[in-house]
Amino acid sequence: MKFDVRIKIDVPDEVADTLGIDEDSVLESYYENGYIYIRKVDDDEIEELTHEDDCDECEDCAMLCPHCQHCILDD
């Protein structure tokens, strides 16, 4: 059985400002040992990732959504 799980967290503007996140921030989430971890991907990490239109290794790329097969770098 497949479940479509979406978790929405209300973050007040003051907290978002303190964390340095906004609508353009890239967040990484993963599940490990019973916890869901969420962290901001910093600009240096994003710049290290290169994306070329003729990329043939998309299946192994961390920027490809495994659910919808959409590359987040295309946004």
Side-chain angles (χ1 to χ4, degrees):
M1 183 181 298
K2 183 178 175 181
F3 294 98
D4 181 25
V5 177
R6 295 171 190 246
I7 299 171
K8 183 177 180 179
I9 301 170
D10 182 28
V11 179
D13 290 339
E14 298 82 21
V15 174
D17 290 342
T18 300
L19 296 174
I21 59 174
D22 59 25
E23 289 82 11
D24 295 325
S25 298
V26 176
L27 302 176
E28 173 188 53
S29 64
Y30 58 95
Y31 176 82
E32 183 177 80
N33 296 325
Y35 293 93
I36 295 175
Y37 293 85
I38 303 170
R39 71 176 196 90
K40 180 181 177 186
V41 179
D42 65 34
D43 293 337
D44 292 336
E45 288 179 278
I46 293 172
E47 287 193 25
E48 286 178 18
L49 299 169
T50 58
H51 180 69
E52 300 175 11
D53 291 335
D54 60 349
C55 175
D56 60 353
E57 299 177 3
C58 291
E59 294 88 23
D60 299 323
C61 180
M63 296 296 111
L64 183 72
C65 175
H67 304 288
C68 68
Q69 302 300 309
H70 176 78
C71 178
I72 65 169
L73 297 176
D74 289 339
D75 292 340

